[in-house]
Amino acid sequence: MPGGRQVPVLSRRVAAPSTTITTSSTPPPSCARPCPCPSPPAPDSDFQFPHYYDLPTTTTPATPPRSNTSYEEAHTHTPPAEMSAPPPSSPAPSVGIIGMGDMGKMYARRIAAAGYRVNCCDREDRFPALQAEYSEIENVHVYANGHFVARQSDYIIYSVEAEHIDKVVAMYGPSTKVGAIVGGQTSCKAPEIAAFERHLPSDVQLISCHSLHGPNVDPAGQPLVLIRHRATDAAFALVTQILSCFNSTFVHLSAAEHDRITADTQAVTHAAFLSMGTAWTANAQFPWESTRWSGGIENVKINITLRIYSNKWHVYAGLAILNPAAQAQIRQYASSVTELFKLLLAGRHAEFAARIRTAGDFVFGSRPHTELLLRDELLDGFSLSGVPRAERTPNSHLSLLAMVDCWHRCGIVPYDHMICSTPLFRLWLGATEYLFRQPGLLQDCLDFAARDETFRSDDLEFTFAARGWSEAVSFGDFNAYQKRFEGPQKYFEPRFPEAVRIGNEMIKTILSRTRELGEE
């Protein structure tokens, strides 16, 4: 760590576990706290934790006091590379990961590679397979359930679906090691923090995180949100040291700020791509096989839609259903799609164009002289189709027009949140500004939408899809969301490997561009 400060590993003296242990999540009768271990003896009367780990009497502010610095300077921090490894002269703290899905595994691999002991578990029925998978990987220790992980780890990360966070924390939280630090990796922090406060012992410190990218994206340079909810300076320094191994850019937010910004940057973005996939499936279309979806920003639409559907449905469901701000924005997106489509059907073309231009001025009006995130040569390099440029046809771009209209109606200026934006959001923002900040291209789009009915049936199906996703989210039904997701997922599955490969290249490109333009 900077300055050579050493952070000791906390441990409370407990009886050594017996040779035979139970793998049940139900605590043994003799245990006063629900854990798989034999009852620990009471601590010695003179036992004390190091004074700099003592909890403050009040909740620590979510962000440090600000000076006369910019918002971005006050909320972001890129740690030096030497922070990522534990100090050589002190024992490395252990990290617990409860939930070994795709993100949990990514965290386990990188943290273990940095030299930390990782204690991990998934559902008990997955224990044998997970144990076999990590049997030869150094520093990763697999256990049957979260009691074993929580009881011995210094920093515990719950990497489970937001839908299940309360149930999982209620099960394993009472087994938490005394004085440990606990956090979560869910995309919606309100239920996560509520579960921690409800079920964890009062001596536990709370520092949550959220990597704003998928498990197959290189985390270097990507935003990693740190939420200091209840923690001392020493505990926060320890978490910062551990997570520095990702080489990400730290963004310091409160739980409420996190949920508002992720709603602004992710919820509607996901809804748009999910709606495209649903519409293409309903029309039995593979868009890369048609001249109507070839080249330019169509490459963004197709590749990112397939990338989203190649992931697990719960990655998007928790954010959409459990975040109230996200629900409102998804409803507005469906309303924008519907209202714009009705204007076209009614022949109210002047009103349609005026509404689009007003929205565009609100979102992009302050950036007339800045360079575009995406350029033609970049966009054309990421295609799943081989249709020549000369054979491509125009598009009404209802999905993009509705997105900007939605931002306007919600009062969102997307550039305000670039410090903690996901790669998908940056690509989607790049596609919208590519259309709106080129006056000739926008005028062609408006003219085409008004006079040409080639896309009417496609836009109708897209409208149905957007409204359907909005209803699924409003009902709060995870099962309905899952079924709605898995239909297009199965339909597009054969093209996932190629889409993921091209999507990774697109993400690298957009990250490089945002660095060039000083957006991050």
Side-chain angles (χ1 to χ4, degrees), residues 259-422:
D259 285 356
R260 177 178 58 81
I261 292 175
T262 53
D264 291 352
T265 58
Q266 295 186 51
V268 183
T269 303
H270 298 160
F273 289 118
L274 291 170
S275 299
M276 288 182 221
T278 300
W280 288 329
T281 302
N283 282 334
Q285 294 167 328
F286 292 106
W288 54 85
E289 296 177 351
S290 171
T291 59
R292 293 193 292 173
W293 290 288
S294 300
I297 52 182
E298 302 301 339
N299 291 339
V300 174
K301 292 181 184 179
I302 295 170
N303 281 297
I304 301 305
T305 296
L306 267 62
R307 186 181 185 87
I308 285 177
Y309 276 107
S310 71
N311 289 322
K312 296 176 180 177
W313 65 273
H314 65 75
V315 172
Y316 311 103
L319 168 63
I321 293 175
L322 297 177
N323 189 330
Q327 291 187 25
Q329 291 175 27
I330 292 170
R331 281 196 300 271
Q332 179 55 55
Y333 183 68
S335 296
S336 293
V337 171
T338 303
E339 292 164 11
L340 292 175
F341 185 63
K342 286 181 177 179
L343 289 176
L344 290 175
L345 289 180
R348 295 156 61 182
H349 301 147
E351 185 178 348
F352 173 83
R355 178 166 171 169
I356 295 301
R357 294 192 181 282
T358 299
D361 289 343
F362 173 81
V363 174
F364 303 106
S366 63
R367 306 178 66 82
H369 305 299
T370 57
E371 196 172 343
L372 294 175
L373 280 171
L374 299 177
R375 300 186 298 241
D376 285 321
E377 62 269 24
L378 296 178
L379 289 167
D380 285 341
F382 304 110
S383 178
L384 283 173
S385 88
V387 178
R389 177 183 288 270
E391 296 179 17
R392 299 170 187 169
T393 57
N395 191 323
S396 60
H397 292 304
L398 180 59
S399 61
L400 291 170
L401 301 180
M403 179 59 66
V404 176
D405 185 77
C406 175
W407 283 334
H408 175 222
R409 300 280 164 162
C410 292
I412 297 171
V413 178
Y415 297 99
D416 292 345
H417 302 318
M418 291 297 284
I419 61 169
C420 55
S421 59
T422 64

Side-chain angles (χ1 to χ4, degrees), residues 22 24 65 80 110 123 131-132 178 182 188 224 249 260 286 316 320 322 342 374 385 420 445 461:
T22 176
S24 172
R110 290 188 174 267
R123 293 200 325 241
Q131 193 175 42
V178 176
V182 174
C188 185
L224 197 167
T249 299
R260 177 178 58 81
F286 292 106
Y316 311 103
L322 297 177
K342 286 181 177 179
L374 299 177
S385 88
C420 55
C445 174
E461 204 64 63

Side-chain angles (χ1 to χ4, degrees), residues 19-347:
T19 303
T20 303
I21 56 176
T22 176
T23 59
S24 172
S25 58
T26 304
S30 62
C31 190
R33 296 174 71 184
C35 69
C37 309
S39 298
D44 298 337
S45 59
D46 60 347
F47 178 84
Q48 291 183 340
F49 288 101
H51 71 279
Y52 47 82
Y53 265 84
D54 291 345
L55 281 172
T57 55
T58 58
T59 300
T60 306
T63 54
R66 291 200 233 169
S67 59
N68 294 323
T69 56
S70 68
Y71 180 90
E72 183 166 339
E73 291 172 329
H75 284 74
T76 61
H77 169 61
T78 302
E82 61 268 19
M83 285 185 65
S84 62
S89 58
S90 65
S94 59
V95 179
I97 299 177
I98 297 177
M100 288 290 281
D102 293 337
M103 287 300 289
K105 289 180 178 180
M106 188 272 283
Y107 264 56
R109 287 194 305 270
R110 290 188 174 267
I111 293 173
Y116 298 96
R117 175 189 173 98
V118 174
N119 307 310
C120 62
C121 72
D122 206 89
R123 293 200 325 241
E124 291 192 27
D125 60 306
R126 297 176 180 171
F127 172 55
L130 192 65
Q131 193 175 42
E133 181 178 351
Y134 287 91
S135 61
E136 298 182 2
I137 298 181
E138 187 177 4
N139 293 336
V140 178
H141 304 266
V142 178
Y143 293 91
N145 60 56
H147 293 303
F148 295 93
V149 174
R151 193 62 162 171
Q152 62 180 311
S153 302
D154 300 295
Y155 177 40
I156 304 158
I157 302 172
Y158 283 84
S159 185
V160 300
E161 298 97 315
E163 177 191 7
H164 302 305
I165 187 69
D166 187 81
K167 178 175 63 177
V168 176
V169 176
M171 181 180 297
Y172 301 129
S175 294
T176 304
K177 180 178 179 179
V178 176
I181 309 164
V182 174
Q185 234 283 93
T186 65
S187 57
C188 185
K189 295 304 178 184
E192 177 184 296
I193 296 297
F196 291 159
E197 291 181 336
R198 185 179 301 117
H199 302 298
L200 293 177
S202 60
D203 59 273
V204 170
Q205 308 200 51
L206 303 178
I207 304 173
S208 268
C209 64
H210 186 196
S211 291
L212 295 174
H213 57 83
N216 298 315
V217 175
D218 183 355
Q222 300 291 351
L224 197 167
V225 176
L226 291 180
I227 298 172
R228 181 177 177 174
H229 187 70
R230 185 177 77 205
T232 61
D233 290 344
F236 193 66
L238 175 59
V239 170
T240 301
Q241 170 195 322
I242 292 170
L243 298 183
S244 294
C245 67
F246 293 103
N247 297 317
S248 298
T249 299
F250 288 139
V251 182
H252 301 121
L253 300 173
S254 69
E257 287 173 330
H258 168 277
D259 285 356
R260 177 178 58 81
I261 292 175
T262 53
D264 291 352
T265 58
Q266 295 186 51
V268 183
T269 303
H270 298 160
F273 289 118
L274 291 170
S275 299
M276 288 182 221
T278 300
W280 288 329
T281 302
N283 282 334
Q285 294 167 328
F286 292 106
W288 54 85
E289 296 177 351
S290 171
T291 59
R292 293 193 292 173
W293 290 288
S294 300
I297 52 182
E298 302 301 339
N299 291 339
V300 174
K301 292 181 184 179
I302 295 170
N303 281 297
I304 301 305
T305 296
L306 267 62
R307 186 181 185 87
I308 285 177
Y309 276 107
S310 71
N311 289 322
K312 296 176 180 177
W313 65 273
H314 65 75
V315 172
Y316 311 103
L319 168 63
I321 293 175
L322 297 177
N323 189 330
Q327 291 187 25
Q329 291 175 27
I330 292 170
R331 281 196 300 271
Q332 179 55 55
Y333 183 68
S335 296
S336 293
V337 171
T338 303
E339 292 164 11
L340 292 175
F341 185 63
K342 286 181 177 179
L343 289 176
L344 290 175
L345 289 180

